[in-house]
Structures are given as C-alpha cells and as structure tokens.
Amino acid sequence: MNTSSISTTSSGTTASIIASNKVIRNTYMLLSMTLLFSGVMAALSVAFNLPHPGLIITLVGYFGLLFATYKCQNSGWGLVSVFALTGFMGLTLGPIISSYLSLPNGGQVVAQAMISTAVIFVALSAYAITSKKDFSFMGGFLMVGILVAFLAGLGAVLFSIPALSLAVSGMFVLLMSGLILYETSNIMRGGETNYIMATTSLFVAIFNLFTSLLQLLGFFNGDD
C-alpha cells in the first residue's frame, strides 16, 4: 500500500470514529462555531482598531466567563457562556494581531501562526482518535505545567522580561499540544461526557497555541 492510500485510509478511519462518537461529534461542531465566532470578533477588533483591555480586565473576564461556563455546563446557558467566553477571547486577541499586522512581515507571521496551529491541532487530534491511546497519565503534569507557565508568564509581563516571555511561549506550545492529546483521548475514552466543557478545553488550547506560536514566529522573523 502506498503513502497516499495509507493517508486516505487514516482520514477515513478518523471520520468514521467521529461520526460514531456523539460527544466528540458535538464537540467538534461547537468548536468550529466558537472558533468562527471568535475569529469574527477578533476581525472586528482589528477593523475598529480597539485597544487591548489590559491584563486585569482580561484575566477577570477570562476566569469569570470560564467559571460561568463550568457552572452552566449542563444547561442551555452553558452555550451562551461558551460563546461569551470565546467571543471575549477573540476581542482580546484582535489588538495583539493588529500589533503584528503593523510590522513589515506581520501579515506573513500571522498567517504562519494560523496555519501552524491548524496543522498541529488536526495532526494531534487525528493521532489521538485513530490510535485510541490513553493519555490520561498526562493530566497531573499538564496541570502543574500550565500553572507554572501561567505564573511565569505573569512575571514576564509584570517585570518586562522578553527572554522569559519567549521561554513561556515555548512551554505553552508543548503544554497546549499535550492538552489537545489529553482532552481528545479523554473524550474518546468516556472520561469527558460534556461537549461544552470539552469544547472549552480545546478552544483554550488552540487559542494559547496560536498566541504562543505568534510570539515565537514573530521573534524568529525579527518582528519583536
């Protein structure tokens, strides 16, 4: 069997598994809609040149809406909360994208970050789905790693340490890649049965993966 046949078979297997798994099917459907909505909000933020709300408002808004989504996950309000959360994150992303687009190679950097994020997500998700491996062992490591990276990121912002900020971005690329594997595996194995929370986890992973790649690619392209 040649390479193209193997690739086609793998894609067919992945599609078949998604179609037969209700939770992951609903998760991917909602994830697609929230990504689109967040993208529209980010585009509007760029178009109207909205300023960044600042660290405090961003953190309060993010954790507040994340908590609301968790509390409402089993009701219709959960859908409202997850769109509010992803829309808010899109608005905060707009000013960041604007700052890169204003640079000489900014458009190329943003496009590279988007494409890289999409490729990484699709590849890791397909691997987790088709291999059916149990990645639950990563849970504790990811929790600690994300907490450490988050605190280090706050330190980098508060004390203006570019080198630490780049290191944190590198950590987040690895951690968010691991989170995609972990969450997808968790859905496949029945550990996560709520598609709203599954969507939230995967969206956060994609968002942080994109922003981290954006900073790294910006640095290596000489834009930062």
Side-chain angles (χ1 to χ4, degrees), residues 102-162:
S102 65
L103 299 171
N105 296 322
Q108 181 180 351
V109 170
V110 172
Q112 288 176 344
M114 286 184 177
I115 293 172
S116 298
T117 300
V119 170
I120 291 172
F121 175 74
V122 171
L124 292 177
S125 297
Y127 177 72
I129 292 172
T130 56
S131 69
K132 298 182 180 179
K133 289 186 177 181
D134 184 3
F135 291 97
S136 60
F137 66 91
M138 299 173 64
F141 167 78
L142 289 172
M143 184 180 297
V144 174
I146 291 172
L147 177 60
V148 171
F150 174 74
L151 293 175
L154 282 180
V157 172
L158 294 175
F159 298 104
S160 300
I161 309 176

Side-chain angles (χ1 to χ4, degrees), residues 8-219:
T8 302
T9 301
S10 177
S11 299
T13 302
T14 303
S16 176
I17 293 173
I18 292 175
S20 63
N21 189 308
K22 184 178 180 180
V23 177
I24 200 166
R25 185 173 68 248
N26 289 340
T27 296
Y28 280 4
M29 186 179 300
L30 181 58
L31 181 63
S32 299
M33 290 188 290
T34 54
L35 285 170
L36 178 60
F37 180 64
S38 183
V40 170
M41 297 305 290
L44 289 174
S45 180
V46 171
F48 290 101
N49 197 27
L50 298 180
H52 194 277
L55 181 61
I56 294 177
I57 294 178
T58 298
L59 291 179
V60 171
Y62 169 72
F63 285 110
L65 290 170
L66 187 63
F67 178 75
T69 302
Y70 172 76
K71 295 296 290 185
C72 301
Q73 61 180 290
N74 295 314
S75 71
W77 286 106
L79 290 173
V80 176
S81 295
V82 75
F83 275 101
L85 172 63
T86 55
F88 175 76
M89 293 175 73
L91 284 175
T92 63
L93 180 62
I96 298 174
I97 293 178
S98 292
S99 66
Y100 279 90
L101 291 177
S102 65
L103 299 171
N105 296 322
Q108 181 180 351
V109 170
V110 172
Q112 288 176 344
M114 286 184 177
I115 293 172
S116 298
T117 300
V119 170
I120 291 172
F121 175 74
V122 171
L124 292 177
S125 297
Y127 177 72
I129 292 172
T130 56
S131 69
K132 298 182 180 179
K133 289 186 177 181
D134 184 3
F135 291 97
S136 60
F137 66 91
M138 299 173 64
F141 167 78
L142 289 172
M143 184 180 297
V144 174
I146 291 172
L147 177 60
V148 171
F150 174 74
L151 293 175
L154 282 180
V157 172
L158 294 175
F159 298 104
S160 300
I161 309 176
L164 178 58
S165 183
L166 286 174
V168 169
S169 293
M171 288 176 62
F172 264 110
V173 169
L174 296 176
L175 289 168
M176 294 304 106
S177 296
L179 183 58
I180 292 170
L181 285 173
Y182 170 81
E183 189 61 36
T184 306
S185 171
N186 201 27
I187 299 170
M188 292 298 301
R189 302 180 70 85
E192 177 59 82
T193 59
N194 188 289
Y195 70 95
I196 290 178
M197 293 312 298
T199 296
T200 302
S201 295
L202 289 175
F203 182 92
V204 170
I206 292 171
F207 182 91
N208 285 314
L209 181 60
F210 171 70
T211 54
S212 297
L213 286 171
L214 189 61
Q215 183 168 11
L216 290 173
L217 289 170
F219 173 78

Side-chain angles (χ1 to χ4, degrees), residues 1-9:
M1 184 181 292
N2 58 34
T3 304
S4 61
S5 299
I6 294 174
S7 178
T8 302
T9 301

